[in-house]
Amino acid sequence: MLLTIDVGNTHTVLGLFDGEEIVEHWRVSTDPRRTADELAVLIQGLMGAHPMLRTGSVDGLAICCTVPTVLHELREVTRRYYGDVPAVLVEPGVKTGVHVLTDNPKEVGTDRIVNTLAAKHLYGGPCIIVDFGTATSFDAVNERGDFVGGAIAPGIEISVEALGVRGAMLRKIEVTRPRSVIGKNTVEAMQSGVLFGFAGQVDGIVNRMAAELSENPDEVQVIATGGLAPLVLGEATSIDVHEPWLTLIGLRLVYERNTAAATSQQ
C-alpha cells in the first residue's frame, strides 16, 4: 500500500492507497515544531488503527510539503523509519510530467503542480482548480495539461480570523449558511459576507480566468478541492466537480511515474 502525505500551512492530509483506491485518510494540524520522531509516532499511530495494516505494510511513500521546516523533518522520517521502502518527495528533479509556464517555475508550490497532474489525469484540460486551504488558490491548466498560472486570495479561515481581530464589535464565528443573505444579527451578517462573498469571488475569478484560458470558456472544467471546499460548493455556480482527494491522487501518480522510471533503469 502507498501512503501519501500532503503537508499544507494549516493542515496535513494523509491518504492510504490500495492500488488506485484510497482506503483511508486522516487530517491533522500542521505543526512546524514537530520533530521527525514525533511525526513518525503520529503517522504510525494513525495507521496502526487501520485493519488493513494488520496483514500488510506500507510499501511506498509519496510526499509534498509547502512548509520547509516540516519537509526537513519528513526527510528524516523517511530515512529512519521507512528506509526500506521507496519514497518520493515532490521537489525539483522529480518527474511530474507537468510543464510550468510561469515567469519563475520554482515559485510554484509543489501541491499546485501535483493538483495539475491529477486534474489532467481525471478530467482533461483545459481546467481550473480552486483549492480552498489557508489561501484560496486558482490554478489554470491548459488543454495539454500545462500549469499556466493562477491567482491566490486570502482563505476563508484567514478572513474570519481577521474580522474577529480587527473588528472591535466583531468576533470569530462558525462559517455556515445563514437564514438569508440579509443577516438579521451580527453573526448572520458576518456569515453572509464570508460565505456569499467567497462564492462571488470564486465565480468572478473563475469566469475571467476561463475567458483567458480558452476561446470557448464553457469547455473549461472547474474542480474544487481543499478542506474548506464544502462550505462554498452549494453557493458558487461555476464549480463543476468536487474532488477532495485531488492532491493525494496526484501524489500517487507522481509516485508511480518516478518508481516506474527507476525500475526501468535497473
Side-chain angles (χ1 to χ4, degrees):
M1 282 181 286
L2 173 68
L3 176 63
T4 55
I5 304 176
D6 168 30
V7 181
N9 289 298
T10 304
H11 292 108
T12 296
V13 180
L14 303 90
L16 190 64
F17 282 88
D18 185 9
E20 296 185 1
E21 180 184 1
I22 184 166
V23 295
E24 186 58 281
H25 56 85
W26 304 273
R27 179 182 297 271
V28 299
S29 61
T30 298
D31 186 349
R33 298 170 299 178
R34 285 193 181 115
T35 66
D37 295 327
E38 290 171 326
L39 286 169
V41 169
L42 175 64
I43 293 168
Q44 293 176 351
L46 292 170
M47 292 193 302
H50 195 278
M52 292 189 69
L53 290 176
R54 294 174 185 169
T55 57
S57 61
V58 168
D59 50 25
L61 282 165
I63 301 169
C64 73
C65 179
T66 58
V67 185
T69 54
V70 178
L71 180 60
H72 174 77
E73 297 302 316
L74 281 171
R75 290 186 195 278
E76 186 68 7
V77 170
T78 61
R79 186 187 69 83
R80 291 189 58 189
Y81 294 91
Y82 297 95
D84 58 339
V85 301
V88 175
L89 280 72
V90 183
E91 56 188 340
V94 169
K95 296 179 175 64
T96 64
V98 175
H99 295 96
V100 182
L101 308 181
T102 61
D103 293 339
N104 185 357
K106 293 181 179 179
E107 290 181 343
V108 180
T110 55
D111 56 334
R112 302 175 78 184
I113 296 172
V114 169
N115 283 349
T116 297
L117 175 62
K120 173 62 176 177
H121 173 77
L122 293 173
Y123 304 105
C127 62
I128 297 169
I129 305 159
V130 187
D131 190 347
F132 296 89
T134 304
T136 302
S137 62
F138 301 78
D139 300 333
V141 183
N142 65 17
E143 67 280 358
R144 296 185 301 275
D146 304 327
F147 178 93
V148 298
I152 301 175
I156 295 174
E157 288 185 344
I158 288 177
S159 299
V160 171
E161 289 176 3
L163 277 175
V165 171
R166 299 297 297 271
M169 298 296 292
L170 305 178
R171 57 187 183 275
K172 291 188 66 173
I173 59 167
E174 176 191 5
V175 181
T176 187
R177 197 184 197 282
R179 291 177 294 178
S180 65
V181 179
I182 303 174
K184 298 298 185 179
N185 53 62
T186 300
V187 170
E188 287 188 350
M190 293 174 66
Q191 290 171 334
S192 175
V194 170
L195 180 59
F196 300 119
F198 269 92
Q201 179 192 74
V202 169
D203 290 338
I205 293 178
V206 162
N207 291 335
R208 290 171 181 265
M209 195 174 283
E212 292 186 11
L213 194 57
S214 173
E215 294 181 357
N216 181 12
D218 291 336
E219 74 175 2
V220 179
Q221 190 92 320
V222 182
I223 307 154
T225 192
L228 298 175
L231 294 173
V232 185
L233 286 176
E235 311 302 335
T237 60
S238 60
I239 294 174
D240 297 312
V241 63
H242 176 217
E243 182 48 73
W245 313 126
L246 190 70
T247 310
L248 301 184
I249 293 170
L251 282 170
R252 175 180 63 79
L253 295 171
V254 171
Y255 176 85
E256 293 171 353
R257 184 179 290 260
N258 283 268
T259 53
T263 301
S264 65
Q265 292 173 2
Q266 293 177 354

